[in-house]
Amino acid sequence: MAKDFETRFREEVYKRKQRQKRHAIRKFSSLFLIFALVVLLVYLLSQENIISQIFNLDIHTILIGIFGLTLITILISYFVNFQEFGRNQKFSIFSLNTFKSLNTFKNINSGDIKWKYVFGLTVLLLAFVYKANEFTINNYAHTLIYQPKPPKSNQYWPWKNYGSIDPVVANIPSDVETSIQSVAEYIAREQKDPYLQVKALHDYVVSRVTYDLDVLKTGIRPPQDARTVFQTHKAVCEGYAKLFTELGRSIGLNVVYLEGNVRRDLAPVDLIPSILRFTYSGYDWTLHAWNAVKINNQWQLIDTTWDDTSSDESGISHNTNYLMPPPEVMIISHLPELSIWQLLKQPTNRDNFEKQPILTPHFFSEGLNIVSPKQYKSSVQKTAVIEINSPPNYQKRIGAIFTKAKKTEFSIGEFLGYNQSNQGKKLGQKCLSQIHTANKTQISCQFPEKGDYQVFILSAGKKIIPIGQLKFHAI
């Protein structure tokens, strides 16, 4: 009888110790998660416009956030239950017994712990933390790896003396174009200047690759890896950027492939059939890809896709507007996923990105400055007034035309291909342009009725060049 009592007593003592171990583990895990939650909340509260950022989160982030909070709540409830257990058993967190129970971690048998559940919980927690702070974590990672900073100069842009395709690319022997490596090495041998070397790589991509419009028309996307693009000479933005990346890295350049968005009104939506837009109604048509490259210890931005414009009279498709422009020019139209790659001292957000006037690189290269309006969309009383400052001795005339926004399907993207065959074609109604002082132009657009209007600002010299785009709501 005494033996049975002793056996049962030992079993009860063992069970009690096991309960204490489990509760100690729960307490430790809960305290850790509470600490992580507090750190996350402090971080969120330190961010600007946190309310608008929360409302702009995608549904996947929201669902993962709800799941994570639910998980933390459940574990906190374990902690509360543990505290209740402690009170019932005269077990205080400040007592010696508490520290004795925590010392039982040393005696826990690994077989008592379901390590697969611990591993699964850890993976879920890490996934939650990463998804909730994906861009922040990637920003820190890119900062540590690449250390991007605003460039001190953009000495060649706007490339007035180097507007044509680099002679090295124009005269490259056919037997060299057998691989990406051989092309890159040939360019590196023939062009020693580091900036002109990068321009030659840019010119090669722009001159050899054609934008694959069939992707927009059919929704069928061929492989966009560098090797496939090199062989087929067709690509969308992803393929352009990946081929440039591979060419640069083949000769030891530090090239980064960037993803992000362009302005909503600059996305090629009008080229996409309506049935395809309806089928993929949830797709973000503003997604885009471009590059950053490090030259002489300075990071520069490049978009080979947007420099592949309509063929000019020589039959060569080439431009240098987005070849190492100042970051202040690039941010007008390109917003990278990772804000560190804006290369600005004060990065902007998506809301401010969409609100700024759309101004082309020509606007900045001609030394112009828009005085008003300062936002892309404005409401007016039938008449819109635009004021632009120009540098001394500016020889061109600045004008504008407008169209009813709902009745037109063209955007400033069509003006980028504007040539002699377009001249004489009425694209919209003219605005009144007046030069008030030597360096200030005032443009007045008189809208015939209420509604939304698109205004295109033009610079007229030997050629008519689009330099800006604005929207007005006439009330």
Side-chain angles (χ1 to χ4, degrees):
M1 185 73 177
K3 200 170 189 180
D4 291 341
F5 176 77
E6 182 181 354
T7 301
R8 287 198 300 273
F9 178 77
R10 287 180 178 178
E11 289 176 353
E12 289 299 323
V13 170
Y14 176 78
K15 289 178 181 179
R16 177 180 174 80
K17 287 183 178 180
Q18 292 302 311
R19 284 197 297 270
Q20 289 179 343
K21 289 178 184 179
R22 287 195 295 270
H23 283 293
I25 293 173
R26 289 173 182 171
K27 179 180 178 180
F28 180 80
S29 302
S30 300
L31 289 173
F32 174 77
L33 287 171
I34 292 170
F35 173 76
L37 181 60
V38 170
V39 171
L40 178 61
L41 288 174
V42 170
Y43 167 77
L44 290 175
L45 291 174
S46 67
Q47 303 301 298
E48 295 182 1
N49 302 321
I50 183 61
I51 301 299
S52 61
Q53 290 182 36
I54 291 173
F55 282 108
N56 287 331
L57 292 175
D58 57 68
I59 187 64
H60 299 94
T61 304
I62 293 172
L63 290 176
I64 291 176
I66 294 173
F67 170 77
L69 290 174
T70 304
L71 181 63
I72 291 172
T73 303
I74 292 172
L75 289 172
I76 290 175
S77 69
Y78 275 120
F79 170 67
V80 173
N81 290 337
F82 173 70
Q83 287 291 79
E84 185 65 28
F85 169 81
R87 285 193 292 270
N88 292 340
Q89 301 297 324
K90 296 182 180 180
F91 181 81
S92 171
I93 193 170
F94 298 105
S95 69
L96 183 61
N97 291 332
T98 303
F99 298 99
K100 287 182 178 179
S101 66
L102 290 176
N103 286 333
T104 58
F105 277 115
K106 293 186 286 186
N107 300 321
I108 294 178
N109 189 337
S110 61
D112 295 335
I113 302 174
K114 302 293 185 181
W115 290 108
K116 61 181 180 180
Y117 298 126
V118 174
F119 176 76
L121 180 61
T122 303
V123 170
L124 285 174
L125 181 61
L126 290 175
F128 164 66
V129 172
Y130 177 76
K131 185 61 181 178
N133 302 275
E134 180 178 357
F135 296 140
T136 302
I137 293 173
N138 288 340
N139 251 338
Y140 283 131
H142 277 236
T143 300
L144 291 172
I145 297 171
Y146 300 109
Q147 299 179 344
K149 295 178 181 179
K152 295 179 180 178
S153 67
N154 299 84
Q155 63 183 61
Y156 281 98
W157 193 87
W159 301 93
K160 291 181 179 179
N161 298 324
Y162 300 91
S164 58
I165 288 182
D166 192 290
V168 173
V169 175
N171 302 310
I172 191 169
S174 57
D175 59 345
V176 171
E177 295 188 80
T178 56
S179 69
I180 295 175
Q181 185 77 31
S182 62
V183 169
E185 290 176 351
Y186 176 83
I187 291 174
R189 285 196 306 271
E190 299 296 321
Q191 184 57 267
K192 300 299 183 181
D193 183 280
Y195 283 92
L196 296 181
Q197 191 177 94
V198 171
K199 181 184 181 296
L201 298 178
H202 161 278
D203 293 352
Y204 182 83
V205 175
V206 171
S207 63
R208 295 304 193 272
V209 182
T210 302
Y211 195 89
D212 194 352
L213 292 175
D214 289 337
V215 174
L216 298 179
K217 295 175 181 178
T218 65
I220 300 173
R221 190 184 187 91
Q224 296 295 309
D225 60 281
R227 185 180 297 276
T228 300
V229 173
F230 180 78
Q231 293 172 347
T232 63
H233 302 285
K234 279 190 173 185
V236 293
C237 59
E238 178 186 350
Y240 279 82
K242 286 185 175 179
L243 178 56
F244 181 83
T245 301
E246 192 65 26
L247 284 166
R249 290 177 178 175
S250 295
I251 53 176
L253 293 178
N254 198 350
V255 185
V256 179
Y257 173 85
L258 301 179
E259 292 181 317
N261 301 85
V262 298
R263 297 286 290 272
R264 293 189 185 96
D265 281 5
L266 296 180
V269 179
D270 295 333
L271 300 176
I272 303 165
S274 55
I275 185 65
L276 201 60
R277 278 183 272 171
F278 176 78
T279 304
Y280 298 98
S281 58
Y283 184 75
D284 186 357
W285 300 104
T286 68
L287 293 175
H288 191 52
W290 59 100
N291 295 102
V293 59
K294 198 172 189 179
I295 311 171
N296 287 348
N297 209 34
Q298 292 191 80
W299 283 101
Q300 304 286 350
L301 299 170
I302 296 175
D303 188 345
T304 50
T305 309
W306 279 29
D307 275 344
D308 185 7
T309 58
S310 301
S311 297
D312 58 22
E313 292 177 357
S314 66
I316 298 174
S317 176
H318 178 263
N319 211 324
T320 54
N321 288 334
Y322 296 94
L323 176 59
M324 298 181 253
E328 293 78 12
V329 174
M330 202 71 164
I331 196 59
I332 295 293
S333 53
H334 294 62
L335 184 71
E337 280 187 349
L338 305 180
S339 60
I340 195 71
W341 287 113
Q342 294 178 23
L343 300 184
L344 297 171
K345 293 181 180 179
Q346 297 294 330
T348 189
N349 56 35
R350 182 66 181 268
D351 188 47
N352 291 331
F353 171 71
E354 291 289 350
K355 285 181 178 179
Q356 60 186 341
I358 293 178
L359 304 171
T360 70
H362 285 291
F363 184 92
F364 295 95
S365 65
E366 293 183 5
L368 302 175
N369 175 50
I370 187 164
V371 179
S372 67
K374 289 296 187 180
Q375 292 194 338
Y376 178 52
K377 297 179 181 179
S378 305
S379 294
V380 296
Q381 294 282 351
K382 289 191 177 181
T383 303
V385 178
I386 304 167
E387 291 188 357
I388 296 175
N389 285 343
S390 55
N393 303 319
Y394 186 72
Q395 300 297 318
K396 297 181 180 180
R397 183 174 178 82
I398 301 173
I401 62 173
F402 68 86
T403 65
K404 197 73 178 292
K406 292 183 179 179
K407 294 182 179 179
T408 181
E409 291 189 351
F410 66 88
S411 67
I412 201 170
E414 292 190 42
F415 279 110
L416 295 176
Y418 193 90
N419 53 38
Q420 296 297 325
S421 63
N422 295 118
Q423 293 189 19
K425 182 179 178 181
K426 188 175 182 180
L427 295 177
Q429 300 182 53
K430 287 185 179 180
C431 300
L432 179 63
S433 178
Q434 295 179 327
I435 301 176
H436 283 270
T437 62
N439 63 345
K440 178 175 286 187
T441 300
Q442 186 179 82
I443 302 170
S444 299
C445 300
Q446 186 75 32
F447 304 128
E449 59 185 8
K450 296 179 181 180
D452 295 318
Y453 292 88
Q454 198 87 48
V455 176
F456 300 96
I457 308 171
L458 308 171
S459 171
K462 292 181 180 180
K463 292 183 179 181
I464 298 177
I465 300 173
I467 57 174
Q469 179 177 333
L470 297 166
K471 267 188 176 179
F472 292 95
H473 177 69
I475 55 178

